[in-house]
Amino acid sequence: MRHQRNLPRTTSRSSDMHETHATDVSILGLGAMGTALAEALVKAGVRTTVWNRSAGKAEALVARGATGAGSAAEAVQASPLVVVCLFDHASVHEVLDPLVDDLAGRTLVNLTTTKPEQARQSAVWAAEARIAYLEGGIMAVPSMIGQPGASILYSGSEDVFRQHTALFDHWAASTYYGEDAGLASLYDFALLSAMYVMFAGFMQGAAMLAPEGVPASRFAEMAAPWLTAMTGELAGYAKVIDGGDYTVPGQQSLTFSNLGLFLEAIAEQGVSAEPLAMVQRLIRQQVDAGHGTEGFARIIESLKAPASE
């Protein structure tokens, strides 16, 4: 879902704020992702100030036209819009808490990977300090920034999102999920959770084939189209889950989904079955609870309420 460009117009910040600052945006944090974000803005002609805790990382960006800041305070003071892409939640506040007075009246966009509750805490902190705040979850690796297929999820201040959408679109497709600052992070973590489990499943298969001398690259050639085809099943599972009825016709039952033979075959290959064993545990929980004839999608009930199983 792309952002809505037909949202009602809101009052923008005074143009005087832009006229009294050196650049349009300051980026704090020049790791691989922060550098990619800054490069995309510089390439697009956006006046950009950059800062990084360790010296030297800004040199290439400055050579391309960015303005280097000698300190985080200098970077914050340089622009009305401040973007942070640091290591974690703690490092964000380690850098920004001493600068809360400088940030007052400015806009802060946090693209650091943080938990939903941490994002909500930062939003409260920002509101108390009179800082307009927007949280972002980046659904891309650094090389994808500015390229088709990249997306960034946003939540928090709708005014900030609307005002700066054109700038955000230099990075990736921009999607707004609401005033709750934690939602972008929640969607981000949910999508990445699905990704990591998929990758673990691929590595499970590669480990099974390795004792036979099959390289992972050959297995990847088979796995990629197979997994792509299987994503077509997600909508069907989602419909069953949203309907809450795991007995509707056409589903593979939990009993039929028993992975015991798979686990035995993996053990016989002399490799760990941990990724698939996790799925088997979820299946067994529901079968043991008397739901063996119901559909495979029911394992979500074990995920939603693990303490009760």
PDB file of all heavy atoms in Angstrom, residues 47-68:
ATOM      1  N   ARG A  47      19.862  19.387  -0.169  1.00  0.00           N
ATOM      2  CA  ARG A  47      20.950  19.924   0.648  1.00  0.00           C
ATOM      3  C   ARG A  47      21.024  19.121   1.948  1.00  0.00           C
ATOM      4  O   ARG A  47      20.101  19.142   2.747  1.00  0.00           O
ATOM      5  CB  ARG A  47      20.725  21.407   0.934  1.00  0.00           C
ATOM      6  CG  ARG A  47      20.739  22.276  -0.323  1.00  0.00           C
ATOM      7  CD  ARG A  47      20.513  23.733   0.012  1.00  0.00           C
ATOM      8  NE  ARG A  47      19.229  23.930   0.679  1.00  0.00           N
ATOM      9  CZ  ARG A  47      18.852  25.079   1.236  1.00  0.00           C
ATOM     10  NH1 ARG A  47      19.663  26.131   1.210  1.00  0.00           N
ATOM     11  NH2 ARG A  47      17.668  25.194   1.821  1.00  0.00           N
ATOM     12  N   THR A  48      22.152  18.449   2.152  1.00  0.00           N
ATOM     13  CA  THR A  48      22.243  17.434   3.201  1.00  0.00           C
ATOM     14  C   THR A  48      23.485  17.640   4.063  1.00  0.00           C
ATOM     15  O   THR A  48      24.594  17.784   3.551  1.00  0.00           O
ATOM     16  CB  THR A  48      22.309  16.021   2.573  1.00  0.00           C
ATOM     17  OG1 THR A  48      21.188  15.848   1.698  1.00  0.00           O
ATOM     18  CG2 THR A  48      22.288  14.943   3.641  1.00  0.00           C
ATOM     19  N   THR A  49      23.281  17.644   5.377  1.00  0.00           N
ATOM     20  CA  THR A  49      24.380  17.647   6.341  1.00  0.00           C
ATOM     21  C   THR A  49      24.513  16.241   6.915  1.00  0.00           C
ATOM     22  O   THR A  49      23.506  15.585   7.199  1.00  0.00           O
ATOM     23  CB  THR A  49      24.121  18.650   7.478  1.00  0.00           C
ATOM     24  OG1 THR A  49      24.179  19.976   6.953  1.00  0.00           O
ATOM     25  CG2 THR A  49      25.158  18.521   8.586  1.00  0.00           C
ATOM     26  N   VAL A  50      25.736  15.761   7.086  1.00  0.00           N
ATOM     27  CA  VAL A  50      25.961  14.412   7.584  1.00  0.00           C
ATOM     28  C   VAL A  50      26.905  14.426   8.776  1.00  0.00           C
ATOM     29  O   VAL A  50      27.807  15.265   8.879  1.00  0.00           O
ATOM     30  CB  VAL A  50      26.528  13.497   6.474  1.00  0.00           C
ATOM     31  CG1 VAL A  50      25.495  13.295   5.372  1.00  0.00           C
ATOM     32  CG2 VAL A  50      27.822  14.063   5.885  1.00  0.00           C
ATOM     33  N   TRP A  51      26.656  13.481   9.685  1.00  0.00           N
ATOM     34  CA  TRP A  51      27.521  13.326  10.857  1.00  0.00           C
ATOM     35  C   TRP A  51      27.603  11.856  11.227  1.00  0.00           C
ATOM     36  O   TRP A  51      26.622  11.115  11.113  1.00  0.00           O
ATOM     37  CB  TRP A  51      26.974  14.091  12.061  1.00  0.00           C
ATOM     38  CG  TRP A  51      27.718  13.794  13.336  1.00  0.00           C
ATOM     39  CD1 TRP A  51      28.884  14.352  13.760  1.00  0.00           C
ATOM     40  CD2 TRP A  51      27.369  12.820  14.336  1.00  0.00           C
ATOM     41  NE1 TRP A  51      29.292  13.809  14.956  1.00  0.00           N
ATOM     42  CE2 TRP A  51      28.363  12.854  15.340  1.00  0.00           C
ATOM     43  CE3 TRP A  51      26.309  11.921  14.467  1.00  0.00           C
ATOM     44  CZ2 TRP A  51      28.330  12.027  16.453  1.00  0.00           C
ATOM     45  CZ3 TRP A  51      26.264  11.089  15.580  1.00  0.00           C
ATOM     46  CH2 TRP A  51      27.270  11.156  16.572  1.00  0.00           C
ATOM     47  N   ASN A  52      28.772  11.429  11.697  1.00  0.00           N
ATOM     48  CA  ASN A  52      28.956  10.081  12.192  1.00  0.00           C
ATOM     49  C   ASN A  52      29.857  10.126  13.406  1.00  0.00           C
ATOM     50  O   ASN A  52      30.762  10.970  13.501  1.00  0.00           O
ATOM     51  CB  ASN A  52      29.599   9.183  11.120  1.00  0.00           C
ATOM     52  CG  ASN A  52      29.537   7.716  11.506  1.00  0.00           C
ATOM     53  OD1 ASN A  52      28.468   7.115  11.552  1.00  0.00           O
ATOM     54  ND2 ASN A  52      30.697   7.130  11.800  1.00  0.00           N
ATOM     55  N   ARG A  53      29.604   9.221  14.356  1.00  0.00           N
ATOM     56  CA  ARG A  53      30.372   9.222  15.608  1.00  0.00           C
ATOM     57  C   ARG A  53      31.869   9.052  15.352  1.00  0.00           C
ATOM     58  O   ARG A  53      32.697   9.756  15.923  1.00  0.00           O
ATOM     59  CB  ARG A  53      29.864   8.093  16.515  1.00  0.00           C
ATOM     60  CG  ARG A  53      30.399   8.162  17.935  1.00  0.00           C
ATOM     61  CD  ARG A  53      30.068   6.881  18.689  1.00  0.00           C
ATOM     62  NE  ARG A  53      28.646   6.618  18.693  1.00  0.00           N
ATOM     63  CZ  ARG A  53      27.817   7.014  19.654  1.00  0.00           C
ATOM     64  NH1 ARG A  53      28.291   7.702  20.671  1.00  0.00           N
ATOM     65  NH2 ARG A  53      26.530   6.708  19.596  1.00  0.00           N
ATOM     66  N   SER A  54      32.233   8.105  14.469  1.00  0.00           N
ATOM     67  CA  SER A  54      33.641   7.922  14.134  1.00  0.00           C
ATOM     68  C   SER A  54      33.985   8.762  12.905  1.00  0.00           C
ATOM     69  O   SER A  54      33.224   8.820  11.940  1.00  0.00           O
ATOM     70  CB  SER A  54      33.949   6.448  13.861  1.00  0.00           C
ATOM     71  OG  SER A  54      33.128   5.946  12.826  1.00  0.00           O
ATOM     72  N   ALA A  55      35.115   9.416  12.964  1.00  0.00           N
ATOM     73  CA  ALA A  55      35.507  10.329  11.889  1.00  0.00           C
ATOM     74  C   ALA A  55      35.865   9.560  10.624  1.00  0.00           C
ATOM     75  O   ALA A  55      36.257   8.407  10.652  1.00  0.00           O
ATOM     76  CB  ALA A  55      36.706  11.162  12.350  1.00  0.00           C
ATOM     77  N   GLY A  56      35.725  10.224   9.499  1.00  0.00           N
ATOM     78  CA  GLY A  56      36.177   9.673   8.224  1.00  0.00           C
ATOM     79  C   GLY A  56      35.067   9.165   7.331  1.00  0.00           C
ATOM     80  O   GLY A  56      35.209   9.198   6.110  1.00  0.00           O
ATOM     81  N   LYS A  57      33.964   8.704   7.904  1.00  0.00           N
ATOM     82  CA  LYS A  57      32.904   8.133   7.081  1.00  0.00           C
ATOM     83  C   LYS A  57      32.170   9.166   6.245  1.00  0.00           C
ATOM     84  O   LYS A  57      31.497   8.816   5.277  1.00  0.00           O
ATOM     85  CB  LYS A  57      31.900   7.371   7.948  1.00  0.00           C
ATOM     86  CG  LYS A  57      32.437   6.040   8.459  1.00  0.00           C
ATOM     87  CD  LYS A  57      31.332   5.158   9.007  1.00  0.00           C
ATOM     88  CE  LYS A  57      31.857   3.780   9.347  1.00  0.00           C
ATOM     89  NZ  LYS A  57      30.785   2.874   9.832  1.00  0.00           N
ATOM     90  N   ALA A  58      32.275  10.416   6.612  1.00  0.00           N
ATOM     91  CA  ALA A  58      31.564  11.464   5.872  1.00  0.00           C
ATOM     92  C   ALA A  58      32.340  11.968   4.665  1.00  0.00           C
ATOM     93  O   ALA A  58      31.782  12.669   3.813  1.00  0.00           O
ATOM     94  CB  ALA A  58      31.239  12.638   6.795  1.00  0.00           C
ATOM     95  N   GLU A  59      33.616  11.611   4.550  1.00  0.00           N
ATOM     96  CA  GLU A  59      34.477  12.226   3.542  1.00  0.00           C
ATOM     97  C   GLU A  59      33.963  12.020   2.121  1.00  0.00           C
ATOM     98  O   GLU A  59      33.911  12.961   1.318  1.00  0.00           O
ATOM     99  CB  GLU A  59      35.901  11.686   3.677  1.00  0.00           C
ATOM    100  CG  GLU A  59      36.589  12.120   4.969  1.00  0.00           C
ATOM    101  CD  GLU A  59      37.962  11.505   5.130  1.00  0.00           C
ATOM    102  OE1 GLU A  59      38.356  10.691   4.255  1.00  0.00           O
ATOM    103  OE2 GLU A  59      38.638  11.819   6.128  1.00  0.00           O
ATOM    104  N   ALA A  60      33.565  10.791   1.785  1.00  0.00           N
ATOM    105  CA  ALA A  60      33.098  10.522   0.422  1.00  0.00           C
ATOM    106  C   ALA A  60      31.815  11.284   0.124  1.00  0.00           C
ATOM    107  O   ALA A  60      31.624  11.802  -0.988  1.00  0.00           O
ATOM    108  CB  ALA A  60      32.873   9.018   0.230  1.00  0.00           C
ATOM    109  N   LEU A  61      30.938  11.400   1.110  1.00  0.00           N
ATOM    110  CA  LEU A  61      29.690  12.139   0.918  1.00  0.00           C
ATOM    111  C   LEU A  61      29.956  13.626   0.750  1.00  0.00           C
ATOM    112  O   LEU A  61      29.320  14.289  -0.073  1.00  0.00           O
ATOM    113  CB  LEU A  61      28.751  11.896   2.107  1.00  0.00           C
ATOM    114  CG  LEU A  61      28.109  10.510   2.162  1.00  0.00           C
ATOM    115  CD1 LEU A  61      27.550  10.239   3.548  1.00  0.00           C
ATOM    116  CD2 LEU A  61      27.010  10.396   1.112  1.00  0.00           C
ATOM    117  N   VAL A  62      30.877  14.152   1.533  1.00  0.00           N
ATOM    118  CA  VAL A  62      31.233  15.570   1.403  1.00  0.00           C
ATOM    119  C   VAL A  62      31.821  15.845   0.021  1.00  0.00           C
ATOM    120  O   VAL A  62      31.530  16.854  -0.609  1.00  0.00           O
ATOM    121  CB  VAL A  62      32.226  15.974   2.517  1.00  0.00           C
ATOM    122  CG1 VAL A  62      32.777  17.371   2.264  1.00  0.00           C
ATOM    123  CG2 VAL A  62      31.529  15.924   3.881  1.00  0.00           C
ATOM    124  N   ALA A  63      32.614  14.889  -0.475  1.00  0.00           N
ATOM    125  CA  ALA A  63      33.196  15.047  -1.809  1.00  0.00           C
ATOM    126  C   ALA A  63      32.112  15.101  -2.880  1.00  0.00           C
ATOM    127  O   ALA A  63      32.307  15.721  -3.938  1.00  0.00           O
ATOM    128  CB  ALA A  63      34.165  13.908  -2.087  1.00  0.00           C
ATOM    129  N   ARG A  64      30.967  14.459  -2.615  1.00  0.00           N
ATOM    130  CA  ARG A  64      29.873  14.453  -3.585  1.00  0.00           C
ATOM    131  C   ARG A  64      28.926  15.640  -3.410  1.00  0.00           C
ATOM    132  O   ARG A  64      27.988  15.798  -4.192  1.00  0.00           O
ATOM    133  CB  ARG A  64      29.077  13.150  -3.462  1.00  0.00           C
ATOM    134  CG  ARG A  64      29.871  11.908  -3.814  1.00  0.00           C
ATOM    135  CD  ARG A  64      28.935  10.700  -3.867  1.00  0.00           C
ATOM    136  NE  ARG A  64      29.667   9.460  -4.076  1.00  0.00           N
ATOM    137  CZ  ARG A  64      29.944   8.578  -3.123  1.00  0.00           C
ATOM    138  NH1 ARG A  64      29.536   8.813  -1.882  1.00  0.00           N
ATOM    139  NH2 ARG A  64      30.611   7.474  -3.390  1.00  0.00           N
ATOM    140  N   GLY A  65      29.130  16.417  -2.345  1.00  0.00           N
ATOM    141  CA  GLY A  65      28.295  17.601  -2.183  1.00  0.00           C
ATOM    142  C   GLY A  65      27.600  17.768  -0.858  1.00  0.00           C
ATOM    143  O   GLY A  65      26.945  18.789  -0.619  1.00  0.00           O
ATOM    144  N   ALA A  66      27.709  16.780   0.026  1.00  0.00           N
ATOM    145  CA  ALA A  66      27.110  16.912   1.343  1.00  0.00           C
ATOM    146  C   ALA A  66      27.941  17.861   2.195  1.00  0.00           C
ATOM    147  O   ALA A  66      29.103  18.139   1.892  1.00  0.00           O
ATOM    148  CB  ALA A  66      27.007  15.553   2.022  1.00  0.00           C
ATOM    149  N   THR A  67      27.341  18.346   3.277  1.00  0.00           N
ATOM    150  CA  THR A  67      28.051  19.180   4.236  1.00  0.00           C
ATOM    151  C   THR A  67      28.384  18.342   5.453  1.00  0.00           C
ATOM    152  O   THR A  67      27.496  17.715   6.035  1.00  0.00           O
ATOM    153  CB  THR A  67      27.181  20.375   4.671  1.00  0.00           C
ATOM    154  OG1 THR A  67      26.873  21.169   3.535  1.00  0.00           O
ATOM    155  CG2 THR A  67      27.904  21.226   5.708  1.00  0.00           C
ATOM    156  N   GLY A  68      29.641  18.299   5.836  1.00  0.00           N
ATOM    157  CA  GLY A  68      30.042  17.522   6.993  1.00  0.00           C
ATOM    158  C   GLY A  68      29.882  18.317   8.274  1.00  0.00           C
ATOM    159  O   GLY A  68      30.162  19.525   8.296  1.00  0.00           O
TER     160      GLY A  68
END
